[in-house]
């Protein structure tokens, strides 16, 4: 076996619906044109990888305990084990996503690009579930399904309304006249070192009292007696509603409404979920004063990373690191030759 291949998997920006996926709620992300490309050949159980933005190469034989491999190589080792084919590869990895900790799902893109090669393409929802399990094994953090579904199921020019309970995915075109910007806050964070897991625990503890959050309304949330739990869950239940409202605003091309939902989502993420940071708040305060920028929100798992902004086409956020986001014509794919 020495098939040569190129695989690509994009990062994502989440427009609304944070910390809703692992309780089977709604999310509204968009795949990015930024992503990870792997070029190489399949092997019989030996993995060798070089990355354009990492100083260390990786090399190991399968089977392998992913925990015995350091840093980014652990995601590759976990993907190789979860693919379950015994296949390895010899690859060059090229990424135009910034290396980890940006809230743009770099590790999902890495995992998905590896699985497309090591497992092979197929049912994308099943592949996304495999990618999630692989990432959880690599990091020990029980993330949800949003990032892998966004990377593998992206649709040109559209955000994805994803129901993380039944895995239905409905593409909703980005309205004409709305430009989506992604801005790096400058604050890197790894999800494993953040308060992601404690937020997740609060959501599941609340479910023990009021039932599935994906079905809960705000009246049920108000019956919770623990004030911290109540705030956390107020955010999650509110974001489930905001996903539907944002998708409807996109369908109606109502940009002012979409922008107001983005702002409301950020306030809830910062005040109820307490997932923001002083650096992010300062950046958002700056962004919303820039000409043409309607609204901005912390995106992804929280505690740093990136900000998503809604803007008029051609707007300049006047910050160091930013991208114009548009879901690419060709999303995740693999080509053998
Ligand atoms: C990270 C996780 C996702 C999701 C978001 C928060 O990106 O990987 O599963 O929980 O945080 O919305």
């Amino acid at each position: 076996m020495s098939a040569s291949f190129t695989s690509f998997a994009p990062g994502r920006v989440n427009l609304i619906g944070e910390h809703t996926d692992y309780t089977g709620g709604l999310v509204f992300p968009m795949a990015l044109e930024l992503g990870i490309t792997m070029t190489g050949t399949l092997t019989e159980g030996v993995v060798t990888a070089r990355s354009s933005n990492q100083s260390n190469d990786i090399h190991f034989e399968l089977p392998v305990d992913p925990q015995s491999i350091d840093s980014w190589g652990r995601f590759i080792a976990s993907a190789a084990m979860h693919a379950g084919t015994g296949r390895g590869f010899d690859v060059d990895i090229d990424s135009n996503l910034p290396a980890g900790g940006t809230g743009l799902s770099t590790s999902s893109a890495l995992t998905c690009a590896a699985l497309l090669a090591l497992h092979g393409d197929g049912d994308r929802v099943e592949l996304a579930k495999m990618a999630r399990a692989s990432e959880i094994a690599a990091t020990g953090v029980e993330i949800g399904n949003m990032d892998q579904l966004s990377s593998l199921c992206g649709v040109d020019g559209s955000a994805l309304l994803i129901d993380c309970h039944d895995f239905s995915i409905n593409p909703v075109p980005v309205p004409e006249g709305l430009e989506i910007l992604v801005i790096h806050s400058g604050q890197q964070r790894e999800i494993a070192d953040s308060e992601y897991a404690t937020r997740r625990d609060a959501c599941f503890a609340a479910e023990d009292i009021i039932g599935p959050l994906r079905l809960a309304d705000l009246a049920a949330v108000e019956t919770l007696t623990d004030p911290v739990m109540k705030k956390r869950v107020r955010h999650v239940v509110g974001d489930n509603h905001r996903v539907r409202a944002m998708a409807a605003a996109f369908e109606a091309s109502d940009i002012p409404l979409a922008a107001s939902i983005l702002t409301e989502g950020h306030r809830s993420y910062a005040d109820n979920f307490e997932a923001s940071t002083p650096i992010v708040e300062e950046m958002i305060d700056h962004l919303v004063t820039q000409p043409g920028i309607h609204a901005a929100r912390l995106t992804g798992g929280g505690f740093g990373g990136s900000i998503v902004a809604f803007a008029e086409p051609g707007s300049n956020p006047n910050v160091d690191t930013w991208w114009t986001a548009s879901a690419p014509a060709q999303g995740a794919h693999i080509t053998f030759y």
Side-chain angles (χ1 to χ4, degrees):
M1 188 201 310
S2 66
S4 299
F5 69 88
T6 297
S7 66
F8 170 77
R12 64 100 188 93
V13 59
N14 189 23
L15 306 186
I16 195 83
E18 284 323 343
H19 285 255
T20 50
D21 58 352
Y22 48 76
T23 46
L26 303 175
V27 292
F28 197 50
M30 188 171 97
L32 295 172
E33 59 288 282
L34 303 170
I36 289 186
T37 304
M38 295 191 178
T39 309
T41 50
L42 295 177
T43 69
E44 298 281 357
V46 180
V47 172
T48 308
R50 299 158 292 274
S51 171
S52 60
N53 64 3
Q54 301 283 347
S55 52
N56 60 318
D57 297 348
I58 57 167
H59 182 75
F60 55 83
E61 283 181 24
L62 297 172
V64 70
D65 173 4
Q67 299 305 322
S68 69
I69 310 290
D70 282 339
S71 72
W72 62 281
R74 188 172 297 171
F75 289 97
I76 305 270
S78 192
M81 294 307 290
H82 280 77
T85 55
R87 264 182 233 152
F89 54 25
D90 184 326
V91 281
D92 286 297
I93 300 175
D94 195 23
S95 173
N96 53 9
L97 272 169
T102 55
L104 302 177
S105 297
T106 306
S107 49
S108 292
L110 184 64
T111 301
C112 291
L115 279 177
L116 281 168
L118 297 171
H119 173 272
D121 208 346
D123 181 317
R124 291 289 178 96
V125 171
E126 290 307 315
L127 206 54
K129 289 180 187 170
M130 186 183 287
R132 173 185 181 237
S134 174
E135 281 187 64
I136 290 174
T139 62
V141 183
E142 293 271 346
I143 52 170
N145 267 110
M146 167 170 71
D147 304 345
Q148 306 77 19
L149 288 168
S150 317
S151 181
L152 290 167
C153 304
V155 171
D156 186 13
S158 291
L160 302 176
L161 172 55
I162 304 177
D163 182 327
C164 297
H165 179 64
D166 63 12
F167 298 104
S168 59
I169 302 176
N170 287 295
V172 183
V174 174
E176 233 171 273
L178 173 62
E179 191 146 279
I180 297 175
L181 308 180
V182 177
I183 297 108
H184 190 359
S185 73
Q187 185 172 12
Q188 294 213 336
R189 62 98 189 91
E190 294 300 335
I191 231 163
D193 304 325
S194 78
E195 290 181 49
Y196 185 95
T198 57
R199 295 297 186 276
R200 186 180 182 281
D201 290 348
C203 293
F204 282 105
E207 287 205 321
D208 287 343
I209 303 169
I210 60 169
L213 297 188
R214 69 188 170 82
L215 303 175
D217 58 19
L218 289 169
V221 174
E222 294 311 313
T223 66
L224 291 166
T225 51
D226 179 323
V228 174
M229 184 190 285
K230 191 190 292 198
K231 283 200 323 182
R232 305 296 186 248
V233 171
R234 202 182 275 150
H235 165 75
V236 171
V237 172
D239 252 20
N240 280 330
H241 291 297
R242 281 185 284 272
V243 167
R244 286 203 191 286
M246 176 87 80
F250 270 37
E251 270 158 8
S253 292
D254 190 337
I255 295 172
L257 179 59
S260 72
I261 297 164
L262 199 74
T263 301
E264 187 187 299
H266 180 69
R267 286 299 5 125
S268 173
Y269 207 26
D271 299 341
N272 291 323
F273 216 66
E274 296 184 82
S276 192
T277 69
I279 290 174
V280 168
E281 291 304 298
E282 200 180 310
M283 183 70 101
I284 288 185
D285 288 348
H286 160 81
L287 288 169
V288 295
T289 63
Q290 299 306 298
I293 299 206
H294 306 304
R297 187 183 80 74
L298 173 60
T299 184
F303 312 101
S306 294
I307 291 163
V308 57
F310 286 177
E312 283 169 16
S315 302
N316 183 341
N318 288 308
V319 293
D320 289 344
T321 314
W322 64 283
W323 304 266
T324 303
S326 60
Q330 197 184 16
H333 61 273
I334 182 154
T335 313
F336 284 100
Y337 40 86

